[in-house]
Amino acid sequence: MSFMFATGIECSCPTIQTPIGKKRIDELEKCGHYKNWRTDFHLVKELGLDVLRFGGPYHLIHEGPGKYDWSFLDETLSVLRDMKIEPILDLCHFGVPDWIGDFQNEDWPHYFAEFARAAAVRYPGIKQYTVVNEIYIAALYSAEYGFWNECLQSDKAFVRALANLCKANVMGIKAILDITPDATFVQSETAQYFYAEEPCQLERAHFLNERRFLALDLTYAFPMAAEMFRYLRDNGLSEDEYDWFQQQHIRGHCVMGNDYYMRNEHSVSEVPKTGHAKKPSPSEKRNDDKAIALGYYAVAKHYFNRYRMPLMLTETNMDEPYAEYWLAQNWMSLRRLWEDRIPVRGFTWYSLVDQVDWDTALTEDAGRQNPLGLFDLDRKIRPVGKAYKELVKKWRPIVNSGDADLRGSRW
């Protein structure tokens, strides 16, 4: 596999509660991609990139059991093919169709696997997928923090959402493999770390550092610690469900993608839940807005040492004026992983253009532009876009040369 320099189109689509009921937050619409997708694809080529994390509006495509509207993907994927841009096709990104309801629906994995199979049949040229994006975050924000979709706040709701998301992911992967046996699955999953501010918080930090692995433990049939097994069983996961996960063997087809942001390292305080313990606001300092303690290199090694799988940095970004520094910092971390002879498959600045309302984790439909992209929403290149373009130009010949060495380690 060649090393992949990539970017992505932000396609989150959760629902949120408003005073007048539920509302769909469609980032493809908010970021102007429906109107500008041809321009956006040309921006990818302008950067010198040929890999794009890309997904359609799942909530609109999957109209009902066995019923699909492929019109958007038909047109866009055809153009990507003609432009020789390889998509990593994103099938589910934080939301489900209205007829499904939310991530508590135990029938959803079955319907989703049918959808994944249908996508593989319709697009036989697609060889790379992110089947379910950021399972841990989808479950956490929907069922523990109460931000999205089911808007619940309990361990039982979190475990049910997590189990359904993992089951949909595994079943979707197996359905695609039935059609495309040589497919690769880039599992874009948050890479987190928790540290205690005070000795009295050590136990809580330890628990959270074990729980951060649950989505990948279930997906990759990893034998988890007894503490986590008890946590899942106490909160509704049946022994039969756990045994089912342990019998699935898909990891040989997977690249373990890490999504890493400054907010992925959390200081555990006296607040019972770390991170977004309550609805964030642009005017208040969030509990996890503190300087990173470890950095991507150290956090990624936690995940590699556990699963021993190829890595890819599948998401990272930072707003201005620190974006160029963050790009350089994380690129150096990736190179350091290579020095340790860890197989690294790619680097992704996410996303191509600025995002909207992620400053409140999509909990407010305020229309605030977040300067996180390589281009702004007028499709004008940002300084970090220029820096990424130059980085790709300099390093692509090295990482794909086949014989390049860095301090004695093969790239």
Side-chain angles (χ1 to χ4, degrees), residues 8-26:
I9 303 296
E10 162 62 341
C11 60
S12 298
C13 63
T15 58
I16 62 170
Q17 287 285 1
T18 73
I20 58 174
K22 282 197 171 184
K23 179 179 178 61
R24 178 76 61 178
I25 302 298
D26 185 342

Side-chain angles (χ1 to χ4, degrees), residues 137-262:
I137 294 298
L140 196 70
Y141 281 32
S142 299
E144 182 169 305
Y145 294 163
F147 289 174
W148 301 338
N149 303 309
E150 52 262 51
C151 296
L152 297 176
Q153 293 180 294
S154 73
D155 285 320
K156 287 186 180 296
F158 168 77
V159 167
R160 177 44 49 200
L162 185 82
N164 290 344
L165 283 153
C166 289
K167 190 172 184 180
N169 189 47
V170 172
M171 292 177 67
I173 288 173
K174 296 181 76 172
I176 292 168
L177 286 172
D178 286 344
I179 307 302
T180 311
D182 58 343
T184 298
F185 302 93
V186 181
Q187 184 61 47
S188 180
E189 190 61 40
T190 184
Q192 307 235 339
Y193 179 70
F194 299 84
Y195 56 96
E197 285 188 356
E198 303 290 343
C200 62
Q201 292 130 22
L202 284 169
E203 184 177 353
R204 178 66 178 168
H206 168 76
F207 170 82
L208 293 169
N209 277 322
E210 289 295 316
R211 197 178 71 159
R212 63 180 167 153
F213 294 124
L214 281 181
L216 294 177
D217 283 356
L218 291 175
T219 295
Y220 295 146
F222 188 85
M224 63 183 63
E227 178 184 13
M228 287 297 103
F229 177 75
R230 287 196 300 269
Y231 170 75
L232 293 175
R233 293 286 287 115
D234 289 347
N235 288 289
L237 188 78
S238 72
E239 191 168 342
D240 286 345
E241 285 181 287
Y242 178 79
D243 289 342
W244 181 88
F245 281 112
Q246 290 298 302
Q247 293 163 9
Q248 309 307 310
H249 304 289
I250 60 168
R251 56 184 290 162
H253 302 275
C254 298
V255 171
M256 182 173 57
N258 303 143
D259 297 353
Y260 179 76
Y261 301 95
M262 178 173 281

Side-chain angles (χ1 to χ4, degrees), residues 252-315:
H253 302 275
C254 298
V255 171
M256 182 173 57
N258 303 143
D259 297 353
Y260 179 76
Y261 301 95
M262 178 173 281
R263 64 180 179 270
N264 284 34
E265 297 192 31
H266 309 270
S267 173
V268 180
S269 66
E270 294 178 358
V271 180
K273 298 186 180 77
T274 59
H276 304 286
K278 59 190 180 70
K279 184 176 178 179
S281 166
S283 62
E284 70 177 9
K285 186 176 180 62
R286 283 173 12 201
N287 186 54
D288 57 358
D289 277 347
K290 298 187 178 183
I292 60 174
L294 298 180
Y296 175 64
Y297 167 73
V299 174
K301 287 201 75 172
H302 290 179
Y303 286 79
F304 177 77
N305 289 340
R306 187 178 185 89
Y307 301 106
R308 313 300 292 185
M309 294 174 62
L311 299 180
M312 179 173 176
L313 182 53
T314 37
E315 288 185 21

Side-chain angles (χ1 to χ4, degrees), residues 311-332:
L311 299 180
M312 179 173 176
L313 182 53
T314 37
E315 288 185 21
T316 196
N317 66 40
M318 175 71 76
D319 55 5
E320 294 181 339
Y322 307 108
E324 291 176 81
Y325 164 79
W326 189 253
L327 172 67
Q329 179 73 20
N330 284 284
W331 176 244
M332 286 189 289

